[in-house]
Short mmCIF file of all heavy atoms in Angstrom, two decimals:
data_model
loop_
_atom_site.label_atom_id
_atom_site.label_comp_id
_atom_site.label_asym_id
_atom_site.label_seq_id
_atom_site.Cartn_x
_atom_site.Cartn_y
_atom_site.Cartn_z
N MET A 1 49.73 51.50 -12.26
CA MET A 1 48.84 50.48 -12.02
C MET A 1 47.45 50.79 -12.60
O MET A 1 46.92 51.93 -12.32
CB MET A 1 48.74 50.22 -10.50
CG MET A 1 48.07 48.95 -10.14
SD MET A 1 48.22 48.64 -8.32
CE MET A 1 46.54 48.84 -7.82
N THR A 2 46.87 49.97 -13.31
CA THR A 2 45.53 50.24 -13.89
C THR A 2 44.53 50.06 -12.77
O THR A 2 44.69 49.24 -11.82
CB THR A 2 45.17 49.33 -15.05
OG1 THR A 2 45.25 47.99 -14.58
CG2 THR A 2 46.06 49.54 -16.19
N ASN A 3 43.43 50.80 -12.85
CA ASN A 3 42.45 50.73 -11.83
C ASN A 3 41.08 50.76 -12.52
O ASN A 3 40.41 51.79 -12.59
CB ASN A 3 42.61 52.00 -10.95
CG ASN A 3 42.00 51.80 -9.62
OD1 ASN A 3 41.40 50.77 -9.37
ND2 ASN A 3 42.08 52.83 -8.79
N PRO A 4 40.64 49.59 -12.95
CA PRO A 4 39.40 49.55 -13.80
C PRO A 4 38.20 50.05 -13.01
O PRO A 4 37.23 50.48 -13.70
CB PRO A 4 39.30 48.02 -14.11
CG PRO A 4 40.57 47.44 -13.75
CD PRO A 4 41.23 48.28 -12.74
N SER A 5 38.13 49.96 -11.71
CA SER A 5 37.00 50.39 -11.03
C SER A 5 36.96 51.96 -10.94
O SER A 5 35.99 52.53 -10.62
CB SER A 5 37.00 49.86 -9.59
OG SER A 5 38.07 50.45 -8.83
N VAL A 9 42.60 53.90 -4.83
CA VAL A 9 42.98 53.12 -3.57
C VAL A 9 44.28 53.85 -3.09
O VAL A 9 45.29 53.76 -3.66
CB VAL A 9 43.27 51.66 -3.89
CG1 VAL A 9 43.70 50.94 -2.62
CG2 VAL A 9 42.00 51.02 -4.48
N ASP A 11 47.31 54.52 -0.63
CA ASP A 11 48.23 53.79 0.31
C ASP A 11 48.81 54.72 1.35
O ASP A 11 49.49 55.66 0.97
CB ASP A 11 49.39 53.11 -0.50
CG ASP A 11 50.24 52.26 0.37
OD1 ASP A 11 50.01 52.16 1.57
OD2 ASP A 11 51.16 51.59 -0.15
N LEU A 16 45.37 50.99 3.74
CA LEU A 16 44.82 51.44 2.52
C LEU A 16 43.47 52.16 2.76
O LEU A 16 42.71 51.78 3.64
CB LEU A 16 44.47 50.22 1.60
CG LEU A 16 45.68 49.46 1.02
CD1 LEU A 16 45.26 48.30 0.14
CD2 LEU A 16 46.65 50.35 0.28
N VAL A 18 40.03 53.50 0.79
CA VAL A 18 39.23 53.57 -0.37
C VAL A 18 38.01 54.43 -0.14
O VAL A 18 37.27 54.15 0.83
CB VAL A 18 38.72 52.14 -0.75
CG1 VAL A 18 37.85 52.14 -2.01
CG2 VAL A 18 39.86 51.12 -0.93
N VAL A 30 32.28 45.09 -8.59
CA VAL A 30 33.06 43.86 -8.76
C VAL A 30 34.50 44.19 -9.08
O VAL A 30 35.45 43.56 -8.55
CB VAL A 30 32.42 43.02 -9.90
CG1 VAL A 30 33.37 41.83 -10.21
CG2 VAL A 30 31.08 42.50 -9.41
N ALA A 31 34.77 45.20 -9.92
CA ALA A 31 36.12 45.59 -10.21
C ALA A 31 36.83 46.13 -8.98
O ALA A 31 37.98 45.86 -8.80
CB ALA A 31 36.09 46.70 -11.33
N LEU A 32 36.07 46.86 -8.17
CA LEU A 32 36.67 47.40 -6.97
C LEU A 32 37.11 46.29 -6.05
O LEU A 32 38.22 46.31 -5.50
CB LEU A 32 35.59 48.26 -6.24
CG LEU A 32 36.04 48.80 -4.88
CD1 LEU A 32 36.98 49.97 -5.11
CD2 LEU A 32 34.86 49.21 -4.07
N GLN A 33 36.32 45.21 -5.99
CA GLN A 33 36.64 44.09 -5.11
C GLN A 33 38.01 43.50 -5.50
O GLN A 33 38.85 43.20 -4.65
CB GLN A 33 35.54 43.06 -5.26
CG GLN A 33 35.69 41.87 -4.38
CD GLN A 33 34.48 40.95 -4.49
OE1 GLN A 33 33.51 41.25 -5.24
NE2 GLN A 33 34.46 39.85 -3.73
N GLU A 34 38.21 43.37 -6.83
CA GLU A 34 39.50 42.81 -7.31
C GLU A 34 40.66 43.76 -7.06
O GLU A 34 41.69 43.35 -6.56
CB GLU A 34 39.38 42.54 -8.79
CG GLU A 34 38.95 41.12 -9.11
CD GLU A 34 39.04 40.84 -10.60
OE1 GLU A 34 40.07 41.05 -11.22
OE2 GLU A 34 37.99 40.40 -11.12
N ASP A 35 40.45 45.03 -7.45
CA ASP A 35 41.43 46.00 -7.25
C ASP A 35 41.94 46.16 -5.82
O ASP A 35 43.12 46.14 -5.52
CB ASP A 35 41.00 47.45 -7.65
CG ASP A 35 40.72 47.53 -9.20
OD1 ASP A 35 41.06 46.53 -9.87
OD2 ASP A 35 40.15 48.51 -9.56
N VAL A 36 41.00 46.16 -4.88
CA VAL A 36 41.30 46.40 -3.52
C VAL A 36 42.01 45.19 -2.99
O VAL A 36 43.05 45.28 -2.25
CB VAL A 36 40.02 46.69 -2.66
CG1 VAL A 36 40.37 46.65 -1.23
CG2 VAL A 36 39.47 48.03 -3.09
N THR A 37 41.52 43.95 -3.31
CA THR A 37 42.24 42.75 -2.77
C THR A 37 43.65 42.65 -3.32
O THR A 37 44.56 42.35 -2.58
CB THR A 37 41.36 41.53 -3.18
OG1 THR A 37 39.96 41.73 -2.83
CG2 THR A 37 41.89 40.30 -2.50
N ASN A 38 43.81 42.97 -4.61
CA ASN A 38 45.16 42.99 -5.15
C ASN A 38 46.06 44.06 -4.48
O ASN A 38 47.20 43.73 -4.22
CB ASN A 38 45.13 43.30 -6.68
CG ASN A 38 44.62 42.10 -7.45
OD1 ASN A 38 44.82 40.95 -7.06
ND2 ASN A 38 43.99 42.36 -8.64
N ALA A 39 45.48 45.20 -4.23
CA ALA A 39 46.21 46.24 -3.52
C ALA A 39 46.63 45.85 -2.13
O ALA A 39 47.76 46.12 -1.69
CB ALA A 39 45.44 47.55 -3.48
N VAL A 40 45.75 45.15 -1.43
CA VAL A 40 46.06 44.65 -0.07
C VAL A 40 47.27 43.74 -0.16
O VAL A 40 48.25 43.86 0.58
CB VAL A 40 44.84 43.95 0.56
CG1 VAL A 40 45.27 43.11 1.76
CG2 VAL A 40 43.73 44.94 0.91
N ALA A 41 47.28 42.86 -1.18
CA ALA A 41 48.37 41.84 -1.26
C ALA A 41 49.64 42.57 -1.70
O ALA A 41 50.68 42.35 -1.08
CB ALA A 41 48.02 40.81 -2.29
N SER A 42 49.57 43.46 -2.71
CA SER A 42 50.85 44.06 -3.16
C SER A 42 51.50 44.99 -2.25
O SER A 42 52.72 45.19 -2.27
CB SER A 42 50.60 44.71 -4.64
OG SER A 42 49.74 45.84 -4.40
N THR A 43 50.70 45.64 -1.36
CA THR A 43 51.24 46.59 -0.40
C THR A 43 51.49 45.94 0.94
O THR A 43 52.17 46.53 1.81
CB THR A 43 50.27 47.77 -0.19
OG1 THR A 43 49.06 47.26 0.33
CG2 THR A 43 50.03 48.58 -1.44
N GLY A 44 50.99 44.76 1.15
CA GLY A 44 51.13 44.06 2.44
C GLY A 44 50.44 44.88 3.56
O GLY A 44 50.94 44.80 4.69
N SER A 45 49.38 45.55 3.23
CA SER A 45 48.76 46.40 4.26
C SER A 45 48.13 45.54 5.37
O SER A 45 47.59 44.44 5.13
CB SER A 45 47.66 47.25 3.62
OG SER A 45 48.26 48.13 2.68
N LEU A 48 42.47 48.07 5.99
CA LEU A 48 41.81 48.60 4.86
C LEU A 48 40.62 49.39 5.39
O LEU A 48 39.78 48.88 6.18
CB LEU A 48 41.28 47.42 4.01
CG LEU A 48 40.31 47.74 2.83
CD1 LEU A 48 41.00 48.66 1.85
CD2 LEU A 48 39.83 46.47 2.19
N GLU A 68 32.53 40.66 1.08
CA GLU A 68 33.53 39.77 0.47
C GLU A 68 34.90 40.38 0.35
O GLU A 68 35.91 39.73 0.46
CB GLU A 68 33.03 39.34 -0.95
CG GLU A 68 31.94 38.34 -0.85
CD GLU A 68 31.38 37.85 -2.19
OE1 GLU A 68 31.85 38.34 -3.23
OE2 GLU A 68 30.55 36.98 -2.16
N VAL A 69 34.95 41.76 0.19
CA VAL A 69 36.20 42.46 0.26
C VAL A 69 36.85 42.24 1.63
O VAL A 69 38.02 41.92 1.73
CB VAL A 69 36.06 43.97 -0.01
CG1 VAL A 69 37.30 44.72 0.33
CG2 VAL A 69 35.64 44.22 -1.51
N SER A 72 38.06 38.49 1.94
CA SER A 72 39.29 38.12 1.24
C SER A 72 40.47 38.90 1.83
O SER A 72 41.54 38.39 1.87
CB SER A 72 39.10 38.33 -0.27
OG SER A 72 38.57 39.61 -0.54
N SER A 73 40.21 40.13 2.28
CA SER A 73 41.32 40.90 2.87
C SER A 73 41.78 40.22 4.16
O SER A 73 42.99 40.20 4.46
CB SER A 73 40.90 42.34 3.24
OG SER A 73 40.57 43.01 2.01
N ARG A 74 40.89 39.67 4.91
CA ARG A 74 41.21 39.02 6.13
C ARG A 74 42.09 37.77 5.90
O ARG A 74 43.00 37.50 6.63
CB ARG A 74 39.91 38.56 6.90
CG ARG A 74 40.13 38.17 8.38
CD ARG A 74 38.94 37.58 9.02
NE ARG A 74 38.45 36.34 8.29
CZ ARG A 74 39.03 35.16 8.41
NH1 ARG A 74 40.03 35.02 9.25
NH2 ARG A 74 38.57 34.13 7.77
N LEU A 76 44.15 37.68 3.71
CA LEU A 76 45.45 38.24 3.37
C LEU A 76 46.03 38.98 4.58
O LEU A 76 46.93 39.79 4.47
CB LEU A 76 45.37 39.16 2.16
CG LEU A 76 44.87 38.51 0.89
CD1 LEU A 76 44.69 39.55 -0.21
CD2 LEU A 76 45.83 37.39 0.42
N ALA A 78 44.68 41.26 6.50
CA ALA A 78 44.37 42.74 6.69
C ALA A 78 42.93 42.80 7.25
O ALA A 78 42.03 42.06 6.87
CB ALA A 78 44.41 43.49 5.35
#
Side-chain angles (χ1 to χ4, degrees):
Chain A
M1 194 172 112
T2 57
N3 201 0
S5 68
V9 180
D11 186 357
L16 294 181
V18 180
V30 171
L32 177 76
Q33 183 173 1
E34 266 187 55
D35 291 351
V36 171
T37 310
N38 286 331
V40 166
S42 65
T43 59
S45 297
L48 170 64
E68 286 181 357
V69 168
S72 49
S73 297
R74 195 188 60 78
L76 301 174

